[in-house]
């Protein structure tokens, strides 16, 4: 009995030692399998389009989440299940020219760069619940450095977007979105590391749920400065942007692949241009041929310098940022049938133009610049412009018109299917500048020119009658475009797919980790045995 009593505390002590050693082993193995914070997220996005702050109104209640076009088209996310990765290539000295910043940063411009993440916000669905004017409150912002948020105007000027007027985004700041809109601004991070933002949406006296967003900026450790010494402007310099682009080869588009081209008078187009209308919820794809956009006096601007063939002075403009009372027309390669059938770029060509004055279409330039990449130009003497748009892309160029009146603009889209067959189609858009609004014209809100794809169609050539639609997308129409000018070669865009998967531990490393686990168990048992002796 005495022996039994004296041995019980000893066994208890041995058991505690065994459990302690075992817990230490498990902790070590867990740390081995958890090399970084990325493992805590379902996805890590390092490029592509994300509406980080997606405000909706299900059942009439204000709700905040995320929407992304990386793993699909308009994929909803909770927002706290995704890490937004700002890659080292985003490091740029462009923000040195912004007085309120004055230093290089990890810079995400408001116009899309295919190499890096493109975050924005969308409050359009909230209008279904009667929420038009929405405040985004950044209740808590934390990280190793400063976060800056600001907007670039159509003429290169920069301005703050916070209610306080500060470009630095700190805890308690509010960004007001006065009308339902899809919007992109500039983001900048001064240091590498992990940043978090806890955000709520407010409207009509109601508040949404809170979502904490995580940004992983730059590389960890010494690697975070590895790309800076050779940097000459980061993601936004024209020189570097040009190096990522390839000229759109029109000879290839028109002659190299004729295997799928249809030449008879009853040609069925493989590409059916359509307008994505975001003024309704859910969005609708409508026929593009004959679509009319009305530009009222709200589109009037004063150009500080000539822009292509459009002289300085009064002009009328659809800008790269949304303006109330002006139809906001973008470009889109994200329709379901296009994502399914077109793995590469879609080349846009201006093949027809008629109007009372000149027109210029171009991408927004970098900080302090008006023109980035030229898309199209048209006037009485010439029709010029070819521009290639990457897959799964949504972008807004600037459309500038030099006089009031009606413009007929015919745009041809050319692409190759997954089987390598060239297909094409075209549509004529009408822009009515000034005067009375035509019936059925689009005059306000967000629209994109895109296309449905009929993989059984072909390349009907300029000016040919076209028609037909894919099984999944209706909207075929007969398109008759007249070419009254000449085409010219332009620059295209390049891009790469985002990292959209949760990191996976390689098999060899996994086996090594299991070996460590069993070795640790053996050590634990040995330690207990020695203690027992």
């Amino acid at each position: 009995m005495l022996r039994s009593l004296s041995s019980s505390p000893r066994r208890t002590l041995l058991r505690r030692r065994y459990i302690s050693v075992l817990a230490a082993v498990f902790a070590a193995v867990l740390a081995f399998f958890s090399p970084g914070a990325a493992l805590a997220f379902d996805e890590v996005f390092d490029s592509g389009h994300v509406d980080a702050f997606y405000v909706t109104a299900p059942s009439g209640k204000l709700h905040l989440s995320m929407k992304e076009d990386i793993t699909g088209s308009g994929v909803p996310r909770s927002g706290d299940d995704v890490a937004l990765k700002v890659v080292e290539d985003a490091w740029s000295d462009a923000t040195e020219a912004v007085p309120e910043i004055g230093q290089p940063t990890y810079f995400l411009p408001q116009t899309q760069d295919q190499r890096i993440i493109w975050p924005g916000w969308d409050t359009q669905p909230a209008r279904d619940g009667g929420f038009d004017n929405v405040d985004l409150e950044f209740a808590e912002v934390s990280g190793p450095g400063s976060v800056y948020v600001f907007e670039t105007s159509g003429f290169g000027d920069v301005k703050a977007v916070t209610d306080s007027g500060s470009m630095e985004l700190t805890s308690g700041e509010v960004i007001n979105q006065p009308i339902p809109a899809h919007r992109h601004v500039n983001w900048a991070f001064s240091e590498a590391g992990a940043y978090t933002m806890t955000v709520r949406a407010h409207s009509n006296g109601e508040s949404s749920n809170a979502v904490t967003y995580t940004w992983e900026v730059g590389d960890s450790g010494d690697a975070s400065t590895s790309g800076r010494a050779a940097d000459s402007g980061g993601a936004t310099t024209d020189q570097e942007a040009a190096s990522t682009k390839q000229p759109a080869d029109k000879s290839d588009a028109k002659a190299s692949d004729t295997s799928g081209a249809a030449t008879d008078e009853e040609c069925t187009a493989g590409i059916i241009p359509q307008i994505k209308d975001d003024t309704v919820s859910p969005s609708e794809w409508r026929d593009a041929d004959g679509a009319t956009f009305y530009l009222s006096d709200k589109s009037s601007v004063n150009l500080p310098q000539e822009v292509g063939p459009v002289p300085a002075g009064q002009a009328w403009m659809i800008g790269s940022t949304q303006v109330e009372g002006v139809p906001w027309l973008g470009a889109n390669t994200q329709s379901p049938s296009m994502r399914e059938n077109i793995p590469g770029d879609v080349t846009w060509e201006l093949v027809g133009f008629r109007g009372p004055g000149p027109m210029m279409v171009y991408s927004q330039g970098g900080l302090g610049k008006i023109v980035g990449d030229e898309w199209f130009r048209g006037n009485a003497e010439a029709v010029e412009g070819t521009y290639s748009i990457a897959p799964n892309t949504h972008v807004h160029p600037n459309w500038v018109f030099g006089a009031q009146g009606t413009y007929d603009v015919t745009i041809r889209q050319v692409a190759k299917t997954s089987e390598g067959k060239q297909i094409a189609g075209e549509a004529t858009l009408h822009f009515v500048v000034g005067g009375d609004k035509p019936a059925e014209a689009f005059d306000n809100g967000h629209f994109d020119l895109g296309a449905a794809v009929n993989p059984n169609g072909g390349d009907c050539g300029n000016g040919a009658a076209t028609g037909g639609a894919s099984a999944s997308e209706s909207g075929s129409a007969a398109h008759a475009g007249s070419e009254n000018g000449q085409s010219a070669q332009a620059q295209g865009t390049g891009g790469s797919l985002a990292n959209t998967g949760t990191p996976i531990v390689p098999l060899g490393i996994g086996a090594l980790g299991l070996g460590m686990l069993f070795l640790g168990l053996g050590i634990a048992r040995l330690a207990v045995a020695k203690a027992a002796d």
Side-chain angles (χ1 to χ4, degrees):
M1 178 67 67
L2 291 176
R3 182 178 179 180
S4 176
L5 289 174
S6 63
S7 62
S8 179
R10 181 177 178 84
R11 284 197 301 270
T12 300
L13 179 61
L14 292 176
R15 188 181 300 112
R16 289 177 177 173
R17 288 182 179 177
Y18 181 83
I19 292 172
S20 298
V21 175
L22 188 62
V25 171
F26 271 109
V29 173
L30 181 61
F32 178 83
F33 278 99
S34 305
L39 288 177
F41 299 99
D42 293 342
E43 304 281 2
V44 178
F45 295 144
D46 58 14
S47 65
H49 176 228
V50 175
D51 288 322
F53 315 121
Y54 184 52
V55 186
T56 58
S59 302
K61 300 295 184 181
L62 204 62
H63 184 74
L64 179 64
S65 59
M66 175 186 287
K67 182 182 66 173
E68 48 95 354
D69 291 318
I70 299 173
T71 64
S73 180
V75 179
R77 301 273 180 186
S78 65
D80 53 9
D81 61 336
V82 171
L84 301 177
K85 174 66 177 176
V86 183
V87 297
E88 190 65 28
D89 281 350
W91 182 258
S92 172
D93 60 10
T95 49
E96 288 183 336
V98 180
E100 292 83 354
I101 301 177
Q103 61 178 326
T105 58
Y106 292 91
F107 181 50
L108 305 177
Q110 71 184 45
T111 54
Q112 187 171 14
D113 182 329
Q114 294 290 337
R115 301 170 302 151
I116 56 182
I117 194 73
W118 192 36
W121 62 78
D122 187 357
T123 66
Q124 294 176 122
R127 64 174 166 239
D128 294 340
F131 304 105
D132 294 329
N133 189 324
V134 176
D135 284 333
L136 296 173
E137 178 200 5
F138 293 77
E140 184 175 352
V141 179
S142 64
S146 297
V147 182
Y148 301 95
V149 57
F150 58 100
E151 192 168 47
T152 307
S153 74
F155 305 129
D157 298 329
V158 297
K159 62 179 181 180
V161 297
T162 62
D163 283 5
S164 72
S166 172
M167 288 193 180
E168 185 173 359
L169 188 67
T170 57
S171 298
E173 287 286 359
V174 172
I175 296 177
N176 174 249
Q177 182 56 55
I179 60 174
H182 174 215
R183 187 175 175 188
H184 285 267
V185 295
N186 302 289
W187 297 86
F189 300 82
S190 65
E191 301 292 339
Y195 295 75
T196 61
M197 300 176 184
T198 300
V199 184
R200 289 184 180 87
H202 304 279
S203 182
N204 297 351
E206 296 188 21
S207 299
S208 75
N209 56 303
V211 179
T212 297
Y213 300 86
T214 299
W215 307 69
E216 296 179 355
V217 177
D219 295 337
S220 59
D222 295 337
S224 63
T225 60
S226 60
R228 300 182 185 178
D231 178 72
S232 61
T236 59
T237 61
D238 291 342
Q239 294 85 355
E240 183 171 350
S243 71
T244 69
K245 301 178 182 293
Q246 298 295 327
D249 190 344
K250 294 178 65 180
S251 62
D252 175 76
K254 293 186 177 180
S256 66
D257 182 3
T258 60
S259 61
T263 58
D264 58 71
E265 294 182 357
E266 299 300 324
C267 173
T268 297
I271 290 182
I272 305 95
Q274 294 187 331
I275 297 293
K276 183 173 181 279
D277 180 358
D278 280 334
T279 64
V280 294
S281 183
S283 302
E284 293 185 7
W285 290 90
R286 309 183 186 277
D287 291 346
D289 194 56
T292 300
F293 297 88
Y294 174 63
L295 279 68
S296 68
D297 290 343
K298 294 182 178 180
S299 69
S300 178
V301 296
N302 185 30
L303 291 181
Q305 65 182 57
E306 66 177 23
V307 178
V310 183
Q314 187 177 23
W316 291 262
M317 181 176 183
I318 297 175
S320 61
T321 56
Q322 189 168 358
V323 174
E324 174 69 5
V326 178
W328 195 35
L329 180 60
N332 190 310
T333 58
Q334 296 176 322
S335 74
S337 59
M338 183 162 283
R339 289 173 61 93
E340 179 181 353
N341 294 286
I342 306 298
D345 292 359
V346 179
T347 299
W348 285 25
E349 301 173 339
L350 180 64
V351 296
F353 174 83
R354 179 181 299 170
M359 178 193 76
M360 177 75 166
V361 182
Y362 61 94
S363 296
Q364 180 66 48
L367 298 179
K369 291 189 175 183
I370 294 179
V371 178
D373 296 317
E374 179 176 331
W375 289 36
F376 314 125
R377 62 171 66 196
N379 53 33
E381 289 75 36
V383 173
E384 301 180 63
T386 303
Y387 193 80
S388 292
I389 303 175
N392 193 27
T393 293
H394 171 212
V395 61
H396 279 267
N398 297 276
W399 307 72
V400 181
F401 302 90
Q404 292 190 327
T406 299
Y407 296 76
D408 302 324
V409 179
T410 304
I411 297 173
R412 167 178 155 90
Q413 300 183 44
V414 185
K416 287 186 177 181
T417 66
S418 303
E419 289 72 33
K421 182 175 72 171
Q422 180 168 299
I423 58 176
E426 65 186 47
T428 298
L429 309 180
H430 307 294
F431 296 87
V432 177
V433 180
D436 296 330
K437 174 191 170 184
E440 306 300 325
F442 300 124
D443 64 344
N444 190 31
H446 181 210
F447 308 89
D448 289 326
L449 175 59
V453 172
N454 175 10
N456 297 318
D459 178 353
C460 299
N462 293 352
T466 62
S470 65
S472 62
E473 297 179 71
S474 62
S476 62
H479 305 313
S482 61
E483 183 174 3
N484 59 9
Q486 63 211 19
S487 297
Q489 192 169 354
Q491 299 290 334
T493 60
S496 59
L497 295 179
N499 169 15
T500 62
T502 303
I504 299 175
V505 178
L507 180 60
I509 297 178
L512 177 59
L514 291 175
M516 292 174 59
L517 174 60
F518 288 116
L519 177 61
L521 292 174
I523 294 173
R525 293 182 65 86
L526 180 60
V528 172
K530 287 184 176 181
D533 293 337

